[in-house]
Amino acid sequence: MGKGGSSSTQWAAHATKPAEVLAPRDDFFWDASDEPHASRRRQILAAHPEVNKLMGHEWRSKYIALFLLVVPQVWLSWATQDLAWPAYLFVAYVFGATITQALFLAIHELSHNLFFKRPQANRYFAMVVNWPIGIPYCVPFRGYHLEHHKYQGVDGVDTDIPSRLEGKYIRGPVSKTLWACCQILTYALRPMFIKAQDLTRAHVLNWASQIAFDALVFYVWGWRPLFYFVTCIFLAGGLHPCAGHFISEHYVFPHLDAVQETYSYYGPLNWLTWNVGYHNEHHDFCNIPWSRLPALKALAPEFYDNLAVCDSWVGVIWDYIVRDEIGPYNRVKRDAPKALREDAAALQLLKTRAKVE
């Protein structure tokens, strides 16, 4: 049984409690209460109404993304063409994969309209940030991700949760290592297998702009830069330090707390990843941009300092692989909210088609 956020939960008085027994799981953690972030958000706003001043877009983000991520990655795709394999893989892993991970997370910020004041500007700029990834990604990601926020852990709706097939077969160090090496595939492809999205104008624009960019790169420099983009995707989503955030964000780590379903990480890799490590803070207030999440934590320490934290993204990958009590089933699931359960048609639609706003 997980511990979500019922109206009676007093987050300022919360205390972590590791599980008494650590053992492999054969099912998810099932929670009868709501996800924890809505109740904590209400309590923080009641205690600290000045949090409202932190909300809104971050004007510097577009310049950081364009000049420190998009342009350098395009340049690297050209500059690495004639490198020997050892040097090529070194540059692709250390620099390229790190930039690709930052591009993923820039798109994450853009999905919450945190680069520009106008929502449409965020949609279009996300397609630009998508270019050096090489594969159209930003539009489908936004639809699935916003449902993850709104319906965290809801069975059949939140596609961020591993499938039962993963839970059944990803067991033991060997299979978990292979999964960790290819986790970007499960993260990107799983949602499409669980429930499809209707084709929209935004999807078409995403595909058209990406194909046009890829075609231009191929025309000017050939296939090698495109190969570089795809290589960086796999390196970024595999055994890469920054890829630890995929696991750390919402897995239950019973040796730290028996039921906590969202973890924050406050280490130095946040400098490379738009502070995505501040994940409890982000889910509590997804309209606060990356640059002001540390201020949120500092403003309301009584709500965050008593939660279990992830100390290392490298360490969390290691723990996932070697600890028997951690695996794909270490996620919290819950039934749909009552109001949604009472609307059977709406619930069925949510479980079969992902919404793209």
Side-chain angles (χ1 to χ4, degrees):
M1 181 73 118
K3 180 177 177 61
S6 67
S7 58
S8 62
T9 302
Q10 295 300 315
W11 289 105
H14 174 78
T16 59
K17 184 180 179 181
E20 295 180 0
V21 177
L22 302 178
R25 298 190 61 80
D26 57 8
D27 196 5
F28 298 101
F29 290 82
W30 285 92
D31 190 351
S33 57
D34 295 334
E35 55 87 14
H37 302 287
S39 63
R40 187 162 56 234
R41 177 167 55 249
R42 289 191 296 269
Q43 292 175 31
I44 291 174
L45 284 172
H48 302 283
E50 62 271 29
V51 164
N52 286 289
K53 297 179 181 179
L54 300 176
M55 299 175 186
H57 73 285
E58 168 57 79
W59 66 271
R60 295 173 296 179
S61 296
K62 54 185 173 291
Y63 301 110
I64 294 171
L66 186 61
F67 295 113
L68 296 184
L69 300 177
V70 174
V71 172
Q73 188 75 326
V74 172
W75 179 81
L76 281 172
S77 74
W78 166 79
T80 55
Q81 291 185 86
D82 298 321
L83 290 180
W85 274 107
Y88 180 90
L89 291 175
F90 175 84
V91 172
Y93 183 84
V94 175
F95 298 103
T98 304
I99 292 174
T100 294
Q101 190 66 247
L103 291 167
F104 288 153
L105 294 167
I107 289 172
H108 168 255
E109 286 283 301
L110 284 155
S111 73
H112 292 290
N113 297 331
L114 294 174
F115 272 34
F116 299 90
K117 189 173 183 178
R118 291 178 56 248
Q120 203 60 36
N122 289 277
R123 310 286 194 281
Y124 291 140
F125 195 77
M127 296 180 193
V128 175
V129 174
N130 197 150
W131 287 347
I133 294 174
I135 297 171
Y137 156 82
C138 65
V139 170
F141 169 80
R142 184 174 187 274
Y144 290 122
H145 184 69
L146 294 184
E147 285 188 345
H148 162 64
H149 271 266
K150 189 174 183 179
Y151 302 107
Q152 180 176 313
V154 173
D155 185 34
V157 179
D158 182 1
T159 57
D160 188 67
I161 295 176
S163 64
R164 287 197 174 274
L165 194 65
E166 291 168 82
K168 181 178 180 180
Y169 292 106
I170 308 302
R171 292 174 173 269
V174 175
S175 60
K176 288 198 284 186
T177 299
L178 292 173
W179 181 92
C181 289
C182 303
Q183 62 177 310
I184 193 63
L185 289 178
T186 59
Y187 187 80
L189 298 179
R190 181 197 304 128
M192 292 184 285
F193 284 108
I194 293 177
K195 59 177 184 177
Q197 292 181 351
D198 292 326
L199 184 66
T200 66
R201 178 176 177 271
H203 287 91
V204 174
L205 286 175
N206 190 190
W207 275 89
S209 68
Q210 189 65 54
I211 291 172
F213 174 79
D214 291 350
L216 178 62
V217 169
F218 182 81
Y219 176 78
V220 175
W221 292 326
W223 61 270
R224 287 184 175 85
L226 300 178
F227 179 81
Y228 169 86
F229 293 148
V230 175
T231 299
C232 289
I233 291 174
F234 283 94
L235 294 176
L239 295 179
H240 189 280
C242 292
H245 82 86
F246 290 124
I247 299 173
S248 75
E249 290 169 356
H250 293 293
Y251 277 76
V252 177
F253 302 106
H255 62 294
L256 300 178
D257 188 272
V259 294
Q260 185 174 313
E261 64 183 277
T262 304
Y263 278 76
S264 288
Y265 158 80
Y266 301 120
L269 291 179
N270 278 305
W271 286 90
L272 303 174
T273 55
W274 304 91
N275 279 338
V276 74
Y278 286 76
H279 216 66
N280 269 300
E281 294 82 352
H282 168 65
H283 268 262
D284 290 349
F285 294 93
C286 61
N287 54 354
I288 293 179
W290 65 276
S291 58
R292 298 195 280 273
L293 291 175
L296 169 62
K297 181 180 184 297
L299 197 60
E302 71 273 26
F303 290 93
Y304 294 114
D305 290 350
N306 55 4
L307 299 175
V309 300
C310 170
D311 292 322
S312 165
W313 280 344
V314 174
V316 85
I317 296 174
W318 175 261
D319 283 347
Y320 182 87
I321 291 172
V322 304
R323 297 187 75 111
D324 289 339
E325 74 273 15
I326 302 176
Y329 278 135
N330 284 61
R331 292 292 299 268
V332 172
K333 275 196 173 190
R334 51 180 52 88
D335 290 329
K338 182 180 178 182
L340 192 56
R341 292 200 304 271
E342 291 174 349
D343 188 343
L347 180 58
Q348 181 62 24
L349 185 62
L350 264 177
K351 289 188 173 185
T352 55
R353 309 298 293 182
K355 185 177 181 181
V356 179
E357 299 178 358

